[in-house]
């Protein structure tokens, strides 16, 4: 900084100390977001979560169970109480059996399902394996399960706390609905949609108690940063880095052409109220699960949940040699690997100047 | 919370304490963002900023000067050193004369200009008057200047710290460019654009040192939340609440159809590097001022600036009776008025089901 | 074609052979689109169509009937067979009573309803009155009914033939579904939507028998130019001039970010087939009426219908003096008034630089 | 029209009078669009067009020339008068040497360049070879040149007449500008852009003489269907089938959020006039070539050109056995191959549910 500039900066006297306080929070560019942290003691109980029981999933679960029993013999392994409980796992009875680690096998929907198993309270750390597909929510390939578990048991795992949303439903006379979904916490989004009604619905939007606008549309999505790459993205919303504490409000096919997606601080409280003369009711979807239907006059208030989902990061195993090789091969820049950047990179590359990619597939006529 | 739920919550043992720390930051839903604060002592010096000298502006400045000299006789009033310096104001010589309060008269561009006068350091609180147009950055109507000044001098003003961005420019061999714009801080955005070159440019995007994607486009915008309603919005970006500390990266006419606007935490560092084989260079615009041209190999790194612009809020005068009336008339909900919600409300209403608005203008054929 | 339909088609007398002039070539820049033509003989029967029976509609219908009986005593007036048949109108028995002119009173939905009354064959010319709202499909204000009827009876009316779409439904073994909606013709669109299913559906799109792409989305819209300002616009589609013979294919919230709206010549045949492994079925909406549900394997083929809706234009009364005055007041350029341009103008003006419009509503704080 | 131009127009012999078949009506669902036609007599002169002289292009031109001289010895081969004229080709002197067939080698830009060589009159049929990249405008792979030429010389080639646009420029007092670009015909688009001006421009849009709206934006694009996959697509426009005779008007970063892309019949005349108080002028780009700058008050009128570009289709060689095999391998449906559908298919597949494609690239961590 030139001395002239330093002086001109100095001119701004103490009274404008607002900027000072701000510097310590938003402005000082904090080294770490409140999103990465290490485990402190090895897990004593593991919950295995899967949705489908396809042959690859069955094989993977068996291999996983065998490995756990052999390597960490003191650990108890649980599974949801379903007919297909795998051999070597105990049936999980929620209030009785504490869970220290959740392991999911499947697609993004499997993590959403794991989240829903703890939908009304805190979630243990989640270690997610893909069965081959790459996912925004799936940091590990199933082939790496041994290394991934090792990083967890040796306290080397890092965590991304994925924010969740909590919803409270009200009837038109503002009585709280006695609805089980009042306690659900969601990772992706709460979506209101006209469903199979042929008509548009009319929804009043309030932010922190103030009326923002009246939306005439197919519906509205209140999404987390995590959910910004799910339904909200399809509806035209922006891609939000998961370490940003924010709410995204995205309209679904709005009549108003000027209704653009809105991004709010996670401290905001968003209320959606079905207009009294709305031509259609609005079905509620929470992370893709249908919950119930809001009639004209009914409303829902969405806020940040106190219970995020602690997701174990791919970087947990990234200091290994193989990772270094991977990075070299991919030409990744210096610095700690960020799973999300890699995922977005994959997403965006897939269309970077579509012409050059068409090339890959080009076959002479 | 039901007791069953409380127990299930309890199951999650200390090792998963990551969520705990998070609760104190993002999750506890802090009552106030680091964006509102009161003045502590009355200003002793005021800088009046205007761009145009149209008759309404001249009249307003004269009335303002007269009012200040009569009501706050000890206050010195300054003006930029231009031929049109108003009667009753002193010429401002920046390092010598400290400024305690900036008063702007004009459109949004006038605040951007005020920000640029302090482009390399801290900015005194800014009180902005519109000349009749309503603006996202213009909380006060010129007719209210007496009340607005009173709220400032009586320590009742509240402030929204609007984040700024700082840019550092590098040549292709990574030497820092000795360019004055290296010190500029911007309120809206830093935009790279092919300008009058007929060809697309190719820009590599790095986030915190990692390669995100290669963009083939007309250009790229890195915007603040404040700037999200400016150029970024026209290019398809989301509307971001100004109290959210975030950076928005919006592509301008990208060839890749999957390149959607991205929102990052304000702690991110974004580097844009003109590809070595880019067919076009990229001109740099900072808050709408043309700065210089980046050639293939050149780059710019954008980060949050430590010097926000403390903007005095409309809510500073909102406890007055007239405001209460205004709210009643407008049907605003309970709770403190948020300037931004009102602005967005105006913006969105203007197209809410365009049919009903057409009505206003409908004249029988 | 059933004989009833053939007859109803026949009702539309030679005078409406509008398509002949089209025979110039696209490249020769024809002076006039094949969309405007005059009546040749005065109508002998009128069908009045309304959806709601609100007091203004009742009053308007009474005034209209009185005027018709007094001015054109030889004309018979019909009404749908509903409990609320207005005094002075006869019950309409479709195959028996030929209709020479349809008069609608209400919103856009009323014309869609009129179209559906002739959904499987030719439609008589339609004269549409708004009850105060301006509409894309509503050229006339109810106050102008006398002048509008006069222009029709004196052969001065001009017509815009609004294209319709015909749909044929097939089961998975390609048997034609014996579904009444097989005969429906639509003015706006045929929309497929997952409805209240929480899952995305997978739809294969074929154009003229060739596979275009597989869409994973909430659904798909095949729209006419007329419908381009209805649902398709909300879903992100372009605005298409109604005199352009084109089909618009617009995806609803597609997972693929590169799936942009597509515009095809009206000669194209578009087949949408629910993928065999689609996670959701697709409900069919035709001009906003729910028809039936397509299961995985089912398909629908959409083509241009041979039966457009001949809509009487506002320009039919535009050579009057009052119109000239209107034009002068509005600053319209030289040349024949085009209803659509005026409507789009209204639509677009409503947001032209939103700032200047905010002005209208600006009230000092 | 200058006599030189009239002659060059004349060069295009009757065989390419393609537009006659259009004369069916829109409503009758014509079996074939006026876009496919056969050659009638073998070409006697060929113009080879290339932009770059990279080694693959040089090799290809040599092989091509050798093949032509050996197989069609009576044919004369021409090349633009540039230093790099290939051996075996004569220098082309436009008014003197008639051209019966244009052969391009390179990317899409090469066809745009070929079009510009006949920018003020009729264009001979164009046979375009890609050097490996697949293009919307590049039906043939260079390896297929022998088969492609054979289909032309044996009268089996089919043609897609790609519409062009003609522009007329006016000064503010409506005098026609004496500008060479007045005679240019473009295949993709005419684009107006603020260029390196930091300010938005204000442009009044007139359609067929009527004022449509005032656009405050970075600029405006008037595109053909062909150009709909070029700049217009990047700016948010729809994808339009090239056999549809339509004009697309797409705004570039408009301030107005409701300004959506508009599609007009090709018979429309669109006038863009720089507003008298526009803060920026507008540079004109025609198919990516910078032409000149329009100052406030200046205007341009865009209409369909009488001179399309007759492009030889891939289907010209599609009845061959190898093509049948290709189709089988690709799983193409029954029916004639449509180059465009295949291109769009490639474009869209590249992002169909981006997750499944990410798979391709997935490498275990
Ligand atoms: N039109 C759309 O895009 C719709 C999307 N959804 C999304 O589906 C989710 C439910 O997922 P499933 O139960 O698996 O249903 P599903 O099996 O129908 O899959 C939905 C798709 O979304 C992907 N996905 C889920 N969460 C994601 C995230 N955070 N980021 C990126 N991609 C994500 C999944 O991988 C899958 O491809 C909902 O939370 C909602 O976000 C639901 C309805 C419509
Ligand atoms: N296509 C576009 O939308 C473009 C927008 N701009 C914007 O113009 C700004 C410079 O403004 P001026 O010097 O006044 O130039 P200007 O006089 O050309 O005005 C730009 C317009 O943007 C509005 N604006 C500025 N900041 C805004 C904000 N934060 N939120 C909402 N509206 C805002 C102004 O009121 C004015 O209507 C740049 O920072 C850039 O954001 C610049 C170029 C193109
Ligand atoms: N998200 C959306 O935008 C949706 C739109 N729709 C549209 O509603 C239509 C049915 O209309 P109604 O029975 O009146 O239902 P409705 O009473 O629910 O009204 C739909 C709205 O669309 C308007 N509209 C209808 N046709 C139009 C056109 N061609 N151009 C411009 N605006 C138009 C109407 O004026 C009304 O504002 C459907 O054909 C469909 O296009 C239906 C469902 C969702
Ligand atoms: N932001 C953007 O997307 C911009 C696009 N352009 C386009 O570039 C064209 C000029 O092309 P070049 O001289 O080759 O310049 P260029 O070498 O800069 O290439 C432009 C790109 O557009 C592609 N392209 C050209 N015409 C196309 C079409 N009809 N459909 C699909 N892709 C097409 C080319 O293959 C190339 O990838 C202009 O006519 C304009 O359409 C020009 C400026 C900006």
């Amino acid at each position: 900084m030139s001395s002239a500039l330093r002086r001109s900066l100095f001119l701004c006297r103490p009274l404008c100390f607002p900027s000072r306080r701000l510097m310590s929070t938003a402005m000082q560019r904090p080294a770490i977001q409140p999103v990465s942290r290490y485990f402190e003691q090895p897990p004593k109980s593991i919950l295995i979560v899967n949705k489908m029981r396809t042959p690859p999933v069955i094989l993977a679960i068996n291999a996983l169970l065998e490995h756990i029993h052999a390597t960490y013999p003191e650990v108890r392994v649980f599974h949801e109480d379903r007919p297909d409980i795998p051999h070597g796992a105990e049936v999980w009875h929620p209030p009785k059996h504490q869970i220290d680690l959740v392991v999911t096998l499947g697609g993004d929907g499997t993590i959403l399902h794991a989240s829903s198993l703890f939908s009304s309270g805190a979630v243990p750390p989640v270690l997610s394996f893909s069965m081959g597909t790459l996912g925004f929510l799936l940091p590990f390939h199933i082939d790496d399960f041994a290394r991934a578990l090792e990083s967890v048991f040796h306290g080397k795992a890092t965590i991304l706390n994925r924010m969740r949303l909590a919803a409270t439903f009200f009837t038109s006379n503002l009585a709280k609905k006695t609805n089980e979904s009042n306690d659900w916490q969601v990772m992706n989004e709460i979506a209101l949609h006209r469903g199979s009604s042929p008509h548009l619905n009319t929804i009043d939007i309030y932010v922190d108690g103030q009326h923002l606008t009246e939306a005439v549309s197919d519906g509205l999505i209140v999404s987390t940063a995590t959910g910004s790459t799910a339904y909200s993205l399809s509806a035209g919303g922006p891609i939000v880095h998961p370490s940003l504490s924010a709410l995204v409000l995205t309209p679904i096919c709005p009549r108003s052409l000027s209704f653009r997606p809105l991004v709010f601080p996670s401290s905001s409280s968003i209320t959606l109220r079905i207009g009294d003369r709305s031509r259609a009711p609005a079905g509620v979807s929470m992370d893709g699960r249908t919950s119930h239907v809001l009639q004209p006059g009914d409303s829902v208030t969405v806020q940040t949940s106190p219970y995020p989902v602690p997701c174990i990061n791919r970087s947990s195993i990234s200091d290994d040699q193989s990772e270094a090789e991977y990075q070299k091969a991919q030409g990744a820049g210096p610095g700690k690997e960020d799973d999300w950047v890699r995922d977005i990179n994959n997403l965006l590359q897939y269309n970077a100047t579509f012409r050059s990619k068409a090339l890959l597939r080009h076959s002479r006529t």
Side-chain angles (χ1 to χ4, degrees), chain A:
Chain A
M1 203 175 0
S2 76
S3 71
L5 294 179
R6 201 171 309 120
R7 249 173 297 135
S8 96
L9 164 63
F10 200 73
L11 293 180
C12 185
R13 283 193 241 123
L15 89 155
C16 57
F17 87 107
S19 51
R20 225 191 274 148
R21 168 68 190 290
L22 196 116
M23 264 181 250
S24 61
T25 55
M27 297 298 154
Q28 269 185 347
R29 220 177 301 131
I32 313 169
Q33 284 291 324
V35 292
S36 268
R37 215 139 311 268
Y38 288 91
F39 272 109
E40 275 165 12
Q41 27 169 301
K44 293 193 185 118
S45 58
I46 295 179
L47 178 69
I48 291 184
V49 176
N50 63 306
K51 274 174 91 174
M52 251 88 66
R53 254 182 90 68
T54 57
V57 169
I58 296 175
L59 286 177
I61 290 181
N62 289 345
L64 187 70
L65 274 165
E66 206 169 302
H67 175 81
I68 293 173
H69 290 320
T71 323
Y72 314 103
E74 73 290 2
V75 170
R76 291 176 69 180
V77 182
F78 296 96
H79 190 271
E80 275 187 88
D81 192 2
R82 296 194 321 203
D84 64 352
I85 185 145
H87 180 77
E90 303 173 56
V91 171
W92 182 45
H93 296 298
K96 197 168 70 192
H97 302 127
Q98 298 185 15
I99 299 295
D100 296 345
L101 179 73
V102 174
V103 172
T104 76
L105 298 98
D108 290 331
T110 317
I111 307 185
L112 299 177
H113 180 62
S115 159
S116 78
L117 295 176
F118 300 85
S119 81
S120 53
V123 190
V126 176
L127 182 62
S128 300
F129 295 105
S130 80
M131 303 307 301
T133 53
L134 187 71
F136 276 92
L137 309 178
L138 304 175
F140 300 95
H141 189 282
I142 187 63
D143 294 352
D144 288 316
F145 73 76
R147 278 206 302 155
L149 282 172
E150 193 194 321
S151 82
V152 171
F153 278 85
H154 289 66
K156 293 190 301 177
T158 58
I159 277 177
L160 170 69
N161 279 295
R162 291 189 178 268
M163 204 181 96
R164 292 201 290 179
L165 300 175
T168 321
F169 296 91
F170 300 95
T171 60
S172 58
N173 49 23
L174 287 184
K176 198 170 156 180
K177 282 198 168 187
T178 50
N179 194 300
E180 63 147 10
S181 30
N182 261 323
D183 284 311
W184 285 1
Q185 329 275 308
V186 295
M187 272 184 90
N188 271 350
E189 80 282 286
I190 289 161
L192 268 54
H193 196 284
R194 64 182 174 90
S196 53
S197 158
H199 293 296
L200 295 143
N201 53 35
T202 303
I203 301 179
D204 281 296
I205 304 171
Y206 299 83
V207 176
D208 293 333
Q210 286 182 80
H211 188 252
L212 185 69
T213 195
E214 181 196 75
V216 179
S217 65
D218 272 11
L220 295 170
I221 300 167
V222 183
S223 157
T224 60
T226 292
S228 73
T229 45
Y231 197 6
S232 172
L233 186 63
S234 306
I239 298 174
V240 181
H241 194 283
S243 74
L244 184 70
S245 290
L247 303 183
V248 184
L249 176 68
T250 306
I252 307 170
C253 298
R255 286 297 291 158
S256 163
L257 300 184
S258 61
F259 196 160
R260 286 288 182 79
L262 296 154
V263 186
F264 295 97
S266 63
S267 57
S268 306
S269 154
I270 298 180
T271 297
L272 309 178
R273 185 178 180 280
I274 316 306
D276 289 319
R277 286 183 302 197
S278 177
R279 296 197 58 187
V284 181
S285 283
M286 301 180 76
D287 279 355
R289 285 178 302 162
T290 305
S291 130
H292 63 298
V293 171
L294 297 181
Q295 297 299 334
D298 289 354
S299 64
V300 56
T301 295
V302 183
Q303 286 175 298
T304 300
S305 153
Y307 309 116
V309 178
C311 294
I312 295 171
N313 259 347
R314 185 154 54 205
S315 52
S316 301
I317 59 169
S318 71
D319 36 9
D320 288 48
Q321 197 199 333
S322 65
E323 177 67 6
E325 273 157 19
Y326 174 85
Q327 290 203 10
K328 218 171 74 199
Q330 300 286 310
K336 200 84 183 136
E337 179 74 26
D338 176 329
D339 299 4
W340 184 84
V341 168
R342 196 195 286 177
D343 288 342
I344 292 295
N345 183 286
N346 275 326
L347 164 59
L348 296 185
Q349 294 298 359
Y350 272 94
N351 229 2
T353 345
F354 58 79
R355 310 303 302 281
S356 54
K357 272 168 313 179
L359 191 56
L360 301 170
R361 251 190 117 199
H362 186 51
S363 80
R364 38 184 305 269
T365 47

